Amino acid sequence: YHLCRKYSSYDGPIGEYHKEYELEYQYYMSDGKKISPCYKTYAEGINENIQLVIDEFSHKRVYINMIGKTPTIIPGEFDHAWRFSEGLAAVSNNGKLGFIDKFGDYVIDTTFVYRNNPQYYVDHYNRQQAHFVDFTFHSDLCPMVDNNGKYGLISKTGDWILEAKYDDIEFLKPFNTWLLKEIKDDFIIYGAADSHGDIIVPLEYDHFITINDDKACWGSDDIYSVLKAGAQNVENEYLIKFVRDEYTSQSEWFITYPNGKIEKYSDNI
């Protein structure tokens, strides 16, 4: 079988995934006979050499292993599916969520509840935000929801490493850290756990910012705890002021270090 990419009447060999185009994939025999329904690309394309697609007719999610000269369909069709991460992928059917490997076998059974709704909250600029929890592994941990709708972190054996008591969890890749969120009166309170699931910033701060992907900052009343990219420990008592130019709308952050040194940041905030 040959997996081909279809552009109108032209059938060409498979190529790279482009977000600006809606590509279609079909299987053909060597004589050109079509032998599968049409698959449309879904989610983030190829990850760990696995293409995540959606069946145009059944709307089921399917994985295609792109390794080798002949791509193969991984057994299983799912109501919802996420990209592969660290060898596993989260999948759900009938409201139950588990994890499969690249052979389509369940490594973590469907013992978890799948919740379709995103997390809504109002940030400290009074803007409503929505966040979809990404069920992917980072450093052997993955966010998961319990029967009460609270989020924690599980291991690759499906065991809880961080108790499920948070309203949202997000991975901060430059810092290899988990951002923890609790919603109180429609506003969000921030904390953090490290790559092992241990709390490094208590859940008590009403502000969170990142500066140039170099510093992650948790604070209240302009006093912040700061985690630098690549660092293992959080440093406390940074004074951080935010200034916005009313005419240019340019934002600037001023950080005052304990020794009195002041730095200004204005890009990629």
Side-chain angles (χ1 to χ4, degrees):
Y1 298 153
H2 302 279
L3 182 65
C4 294
R5 185 175 63 193
K6 186 177 181 63
Y7 287 116
S8 300
S9 60
Y10 167 73
D11 295 331
I14 191 169
E16 294 182 356
Y17 174 76
H18 298 280
K19 290 185 177 180
E20 60 268 32
Y21 299 109
E22 184 181 65
L23 305 183
E24 296 181 346
Y25 294 86
Q26 292 179 316
Y27 276 96
Y28 294 82
M29 295 181 66
S30 57
D31 61 2
K33 181 180 178 181
K34 187 164 54 178
I35 54 89
S36 81
C38 177
Y39 292 104
K40 287 187 177 180
T41 55
Y42 174 78
E44 298 187 14
I46 298 175
N47 199 65
E48 296 191 4
N49 295 310
I50 304 294
Q51 171 78 58
L52 175 58
V53 297
I54 180 171
D55 189 302
E56 182 182 25
F57 304 106
S58 70
H59 302 292
K60 291 285 190 176
R61 277 66 171 169
V62 178
Y63 292 100
I64 301 177
N65 192 331
M66 306 301 295
I67 298 176
K69 295 182 179 179
T70 304
T72 57
I73 296 178
I74 295 176
E77 293 185 340
F78 310 99
D79 295 334
H80 299 91
W82 288 258
R83 68 187 186 276
F84 268 85
S85 59
E86 300 184 5
L88 300 179
V91 296
S92 74
N93 275 325
N94 302 316
K96 295 293 185 179
L97 187 146
F99 291 79
I100 63 171
D101 61 19
K102 294 183 179 181
F103 299 99
D105 297 324
Y106 277 93
V107 176
I108 301 176
D109 290 334
T110 54
T111 56
F112 300 103
V113 177
Y114 169 69
R115 294 181 178 270
N116 190 34
N117 295 326
Q119 304 300 306
Y120 290 99
Y121 60 89
V122 177
D123 65 14
H124 56 276
Y125 300 117
N126 203 33
R127 300 173 301 189
Q128 187 179 52
Q129 303 287 342
H131 178 247
F132 291 88
V133 174
D134 188 13
F135 297 110
T136 54
F137 277 94
H138 302 276
S139 300
D140 296 329
L141 296 180
C142 177
M144 185 50 59
V145 60
D146 68 2
N147 293 332
N148 298 316
K150 294 294 186 178
Y151 288 86
L153 295 173
I154 63 169
S155 68
K156 287 186 175 179
T157 60
D159 298 315
W160 290 101
I161 301 300
L162 181 65
E163 181 183 354
K165 61 179 183 179
Y166 304 97
D167 292 308
D168 194 5
I169 293 182
E170 180 181 353
F171 186 67
L172 304 176
K173 186 175 180 179
F175 309 97
N176 198 27
T177 299
W178 296 95
L179 179 64
L180 309 176
K181 307 174 187 178
E182 180 180 335
I183 300 171
K184 292 184 177 180
D185 300 323
D186 292 328
F187 285 86
I188 193 162
I189 304 299
Y190 299 93
D194 64 15
S195 59
H196 303 291
D198 297 323
I199 301 298
I200 57 173
V201 178
L203 196 72
E204 59 185 32
Y205 295 100
D206 56 14
H207 285 61
F208 171 77
I209 58 173
T210 59
I211 301 178
N212 295 352
D213 285 336
D214 176 62
K215 295 179 177 66
C217 312
W218 294 259
S220 298
D221 300 326
D222 297 329
I223 302 299
Y224 283 75
S225 295
V226 176
L227 177 64
K228 298 178 182 179
Q232 300 295 320
N233 300 312
V234 175
E235 300 177 10
N236 298 306
E237 302 304 320
Y238 282 69
L239 176 64
I240 301 180
K241 289 285 188 178
F242 171 75
V243 178
R244 181 186 296 274
D245 190 300
E246 295 181 0
Y247 298 100
T248 66
S249 296
Q250 183 177 9
S251 301
E252 294 181 331
W253 293 93
F254 294 87
I255 299 181
T256 302
Y257 294 91
N259 61 6
K261 178 184 176 182
I262 298 178
E263 289 185 358
K264 181 176 74 172
Y265 296 85
S266 60
D267 297 323
N268 302 322
I269 297 175

